[in-house]
Amino acid sequence: MFYPLAAATWDNDEVEAIHRVLASGKLTMGEQVRAFEAEFASYFGCRHAVMANSGSSANLIAVAALFFKKDRPLQRGDEVIVPAISWSTTYHPLQQYGLKLRFVDVELETLNMDVSQLAEALTPRTRLIVGVSILGNPCALDVIRDFADRHGLYFIEDNCESMDAELGGRKAGTFGCLNTFSSFFSHHISTMEGGMVLCDDGELADIVRSLRAHGWTRELAPDNSLVERRADDFFEAYRFILPGYNVRPLEIAGAIGRKQLQKLPQMTVQRRRNLALFQALFAGDERFIIQRETGKSSSFSFTVILNPALKLSRHRVFAALREADIGFRMITGGCLLRHEVMRYYDYDVVGELANAFTAHDHGFFVGNHPFDLEPQIRRFREVLDTSCRS
């Protein structure tokens, strides 16, 4: 494909890492995963990293962990403030644990949560905020963190689309009490499938580790915060303390992740070079609303919203992109309230979601990759220009 949505980022380093794991005969979660967790935590400057088999699973065990804290655990029926645009599994664990969602609109130009609505969204039942940085672009993480602290709320940062982004010199994915990442094929680093929960709180880290693997104590350190480990190793190896899952990663994924993490800084540099070209080519064209960068984006992709005031045809644009062999798709998961799954949710809406609906109905994105995309980006600009002439 001339301009694909996603592209491989592996070379012989990752292939050799896979072969070494296969040759070792140790395929389930082990020393490679533990090493990757330690290196990931160090890279982001946090105390604890817990790998899972996907970013979606990372979200699941992060949400679940807040229900099993000793002090001030979440309860079914508590309320959580969420942005109206994100991926589906940002929201589903919240629904599955019985929380009521309060949706707030996004800013049209950043596609991130409109934090000016936080005060209106707050009620006496609010216990949690989920902040999401959309497609590499940091949301107002500092504002959300401050609001959460002032009102005694938990803050989960879903950073699955924005690994290596920065706000105020601080890495995105470090502002929450729990922070989640994805290393799916098309993301900033790829372990095939994979996710990570990052935090500084030892109790939450222990809960997440137990929930990741059956709710047992096997991966917990002797000085863990949850239980006193018994001298009977026979029983301790299969001692279940929480209603957990099996969302463990494979050892191969850990070995690949270690190689990919080493390459992340340079891959981010190239993504940002591509972003700078995209921004320069689209600047000042009123037909196209592109994502306004906040902080330092790690530029997952390039979003375009066709200016609804100009009544441009997205159908015509899509036909032209197909003809030009350019891949495109919905912005993240679109606005969740436009999907049938909402019939299963307990939720309400704060104000109107005009911007989220506009992005859903008039927007799309094309890919960004950690290699030079100048010919592809320039061709994309030409196709849009031609298909959107009056």
Side-chain angles (χ1 to χ4, degrees):
M1 191 173 198
F2 174 69
Y3 189 174
L5 271 172
T9 59
W10 294 3
D11 58 27
N12 286 339
D13 291 339
E14 289 79 6
V15 175
E16 290 172 0
I18 292 171
H19 288 165
R20 284 194 296 272
V21 172
L22 292 176
S24 76
K26 299 176 181 178
L27 305 181
T28 58
M29 185 179 72
E31 64 180 37
Q32 290 297 319
V33 169
R34 288 190 290 273
F36 180 41
E37 290 173 335
E39 290 160 8
F40 197 92
S42 177
Y43 185 86
F44 287 93
C46 286
R47 291 177 58 202
H48 306 284
V50 182
M51 191 180 185
N53 61 3
S54 71
S56 296
S57 294
N59 281 340
L60 173 62
I61 57 179
V63 170
L66 294 176
F67 282 79
F68 298 107
K69 281 175 51 62
K70 291 177 182 176
D71 297 325
R72 298 180 61 246
L74 292 183
Q75 304 288 333
R76 300 183 76 85
D78 287 342
E79 291 183 352
V80 49
I81 300 171
V82 297
I85 288 181
S86 187
W87 186 245
S88 63
T89 49
T90 299
Y91 308 108
H92 294 343
L94 306 169
Q95 184 272 344
Q96 290 155 0
Y97 272 83
L99 297 174
K100 181 176 182 177
L101 280 67
R102 287 180 59 78
F103 286 91
V104 302
D105 205 359
V106 298
E107 299 171 328
L108 191 59
E109 291 190 346
T110 68
L111 296 175
N112 289 322
M113 178 188 286
D114 181 355
V115 293
S116 70
Q117 297 188 22
L118 287 176
E120 184 180 354
L122 185 69
T123 80
R125 295 175 59 191
T126 306
R127 299 289 310 287
L128 170 66
I129 304 175
V130 176
V132 185
S133 295
I134 294 295
L135 297 172
N137 198 35
C139 65
L141 299 165
D142 50 353
V143 176
I144 298 173
R145 174 79 269 172
D146 178 68
F147 185 88
D149 289 344
R150 285 189 286 109
H151 296 281
L153 310 178
Y154 294 118
F155 174 26
I156 292 179
E157 185 185 341
D158 181 338
N159 198 50
C160 287
E161 294 182 348
S162 298
M163 189 183 295
D164 221 25
E166 298 179 12
L167 183 70
R170 180 175 172 181
K171 294 286 189 187
T174 65
F175 287 78
C177 57
L178 290 156
N179 309 273
T180 60
F181 296 78
S182 170
S183 51
F184 177 63
F185 169 72
S186 62
H187 291 195
H188 292 82
I189 65 172
S190 171
T191 59
M192 298 183 287
E193 294 275 3
M196 195 75 77
V197 180
L198 203 61
C199 69
D200 285 321
D201 186 289
E203 181 194 13
L204 287 174
D206 285 337
I207 295 171
V208 168
R209 288 191 187 97
S210 179
L211 290 170
R212 170 179 66 178
H214 315 292
W216 64 15
T217 60
R218 188 181 297 184
E219 272 80 44
L220 300 182
D223 60 348
N224 76 88
S225 62
L226 303 184
V227 294
E228 183 176 345
R229 292 178 65 92
R230 302 174 186 178
D232 184 354
D233 290 339
F234 178 79
F235 179 75
E236 198 67 44
Y238 296 95
R239 181 183 176 188
F240 302 102
I241 58 172
L242 294 173
Y245 307 91
N246 181 8
V247 294
R248 292 175 297 190
L250 296 175
E251 188 74 340
I252 285 174
I256 296 167
R258 298 182 69 188
K259 295 299 181 181
Q260 286 273 287
L261 187 63
Q262 292 171 7
K263 300 174 182 179
L264 177 59
Q266 188 55 45
M267 291 197 292
T268 301
V269 167
Q270 183 58 61
R271 284 180 176 273
R272 287 173 173 155
R273 287 178 184 149
N274 294 337
L275 174 62
L277 174 62
F278 176 83
Q279 292 169 329
L281 291 176
F282 281 85
D285 193 327
E286 67 172 358
R287 294 173 296 176
F288 311 119
I289 302 168
I290 65 170
Q291 201 173 20
R292 187 184 75 240
E293 185 176 11
T294 54
K296 292 179 66 176
S297 173
S298 56
S299 192
F300 184 109
S301 63
F302 305 127
T303 63
V304 175
I305 298 172
L306 303 179
N307 189 335
L310 302 180
K311 302 187 184 305
L312 302 171
S313 170
R314 190 167 65 166
H315 177 77
R316 181 179 176 185
V317 168
F318 287 173
L321 292 175
R322 292 188 185 98
E323 178 68 22
D325 205 25
I326 297 173
F328 60 91
R329 56 159 286 182
M330 177 184 290
I331 293 174
T332 307
C335 179
L336 192 72
L337 282 87
R338 286 289 178 84
H339 294 280
E340 294 92 331
V341 71
M342 292 309 299
R343 72 186 72 174
Y344 301 106
Y345 274 72
D346 181 14
Y347 72 97
D348 57 24
V349 174
V350 179
E352 297 182 355
L353 303 181
N355 292 335
F357 291 143
T358 296
H360 188 100
D361 295 334
H362 300 275
F364 63 97
F365 79 65
V366 296
N368 189 13
H369 314 310
F371 46 83
D372 181 35
L373 287 175
E374 183 169 352
Q376 288 82 2
I377 295 170
R378 289 189 181 278
R379 177 61 179 148
F380 173 61
R381 180 68 174 87
E382 292 169 0
V383 171
L384 274 192
D385 181 57
T386 300
S387 61
C388 291
R389 288 176 183 165
S390 57

